[in-house]
Amino acid sequence: MAYANIIFEVQENVAVIKFNRPKALNAINPAVLAEVSAALDEIEANRAVKVLVFTGEGEKSFIAGADIAHMANLSPLEGRKFSREGQDLLLRIEKLPIPVIACVNGFALGGGTEFAMACDFIYASEKAKFGQPESNLGIIPGFGGTQRLARLVGKAMAKELCMTGNVIGAEEARQIGLANKVFPADALWEETMKTAKLIASKGKVSMRGIKHCIDRGLDVDLRTGCYLEADAFALCMASPDGSEGMKAFLEKRKPDFKGELS
């Protein structure tokens, strides 16, 4: 598929989706959502892909938010449809069985913060800016911002950010638990890919198990979460990667993980 609003490529075992609307600071509209969904179709069909990285083309913006020019004239029902389309896509990203990293190179406002939060973790440029400024427009976050932000940074901090519409820098985002790490702008991509390649060197089954246990475990009590972990542990033990990893350890060599998810 030819893409007009994103750049999609696969570098060895790492898929990369770059938002590519530089004149609009990579703002999101329905066409962007559709193209990301199509790229996810390609990723799910490609067994070689073990990690996905999202970033923005250029140095200014990851995603500056939803495209206000598109939203300004939406009816309430059209607005609900746009919101649900965004939410459904981010839920799909969240449920991918492979790890997903947000490489936030600039503005990540509104939908940009929401997209980043749907990833497994965030690496940010020291120039990055985060926020849910929708209240400045008389509206609220629509792509899951009120829900994921509270789960990541706590209820009170999420309310403050959403209610004030304030924009915060990368270091503050790291301090409150929104971003994992902050790097100089010229080192961000290299550091992100270094981590992506490290994760891609692991077994697919174990990465899926870790992601599933942490994500689902947060929705249940501790005992149930531990039972989820025990089941995932058993599946890993039964997988070719589990056998290869322990055999490699005993033989004092690097493991050669080739196991599949199915």
Side-chain angles (χ1 to χ4, degrees):
M1 176 176 175
Y3 296 104
N5 298 286
I6 65 171
I7 297 171
F8 173 62
E9 56 188 353
V10 177
Q11 302 177 14
E12 298 179 4
N13 300 113
V14 180
V16 178
I17 295 176
K18 294 183 180 180
F19 301 101
N20 187 34
R21 300 185 68 218
K23 292 182 179 179
L25 294 177
N26 298 333
I28 301 170
N29 60 21
V32 174
L33 299 179
E35 290 189 14
V36 172
S37 182
L40 295 182
D41 290 340
E42 292 195 48
I43 290 167
E44 290 177 333
N46 186 345
R47 290 187 156 187
V49 174
K50 299 177 76 174
V51 179
L52 169 60
V53 176
F54 279 103
T55 194
E57 179 69 4
E59 298 180 356
K60 289 185 177 180
S61 185
F62 176 72
I63 298 171
D67 193 331
I68 308 303
H70 168 72
M71 291 200 306
N73 297 312
L74 294 180
S75 69
L77 287 178
E78 289 169 336
R80 185 178 187 275
K81 180 175 182 291
F82 183 49
S83 175
R84 289 299 300 271
E85 286 174 349
Q87 290 176 355
D88 288 346
L89 179 61
L90 297 193
L91 285 167
R92 182 181 178 189
I93 291 168
E94 209 166 44
K95 291 178 181 177
L96 285 174
I98 60 173
V100 184
I101 304 171
C103 176
V104 178
N105 54 308
F107 292 115
L109 305 177
T113 290
E114 290 168 313
F115 246 96
M117 291 191 296
C119 300
D120 291 305
F121 57 87
I122 298 169
Y123 279 5
S125 160
E126 59 189 6
K127 297 180 179 179
K129 302 289 184 182
F130 296 86
Q132 299 287 172
E134 289 88 350
S135 62
N136 297 329
L137 302 174
I139 57 176
I140 70 169
F143 287 0
T146 60
Q147 303 306 301
R148 288 189 180 87
L149 191 60
R151 286 164 169 78
L152 281 172
V153 305
K155 184 170 70 171
M157 182 60 72
K159 286 181 178 179
E160 179 184 340
L161 288 172
C162 291
M163 290 175 177
T164 63
N166 287 343
V167 173
I168 62 173
E171 184 54 35
E172 184 174 353
R174 187 193 65 79
Q175 290 173 2
I176 65 174
L178 180 56
N180 277 39
K181 293 182 180 178
V182 177
F183 299 100
D186 60 359
L188 173 65
W189 183 248
E190 180 181 352
E191 293 294 336
T192 301
M193 290 303 289
K194 185 186 299 183
T195 296
K197 290 175 181 178
L198 173 62
I199 293 172
S201 72
K202 313 294 185 182
K204 272 189 173 183
V205 176
S206 62
M207 293 300 100
R208 179 178 65 175
I210 290 168
K211 184 168 179 172
H212 175 77
C213 288
I214 293 175
D215 287 345
R216 299 286 75 77
L218 288 173
D219 295 331
V220 299
D221 62 90
L222 177 61
R223 182 183 294 273
T224 303
C226 287
Y227 289 160
L228 287 172
E229 182 181 86
D231 289 343
F233 179 81
L235 288 173
C236 288
M237 293 287 287
S239 73
D241 282 347
S243 298
E244 165 62 13
M246 286 182 277
K247 184 178 179 182
F249 178 84
L250 294 172
E251 295 175 355
K252 303 186 186 308
R253 60 175 176 81
K254 287 185 66 175
D256 182 19
F257 295 122
K258 295 180 179 178
E260 292 292 338
L261 295 173
S262 59

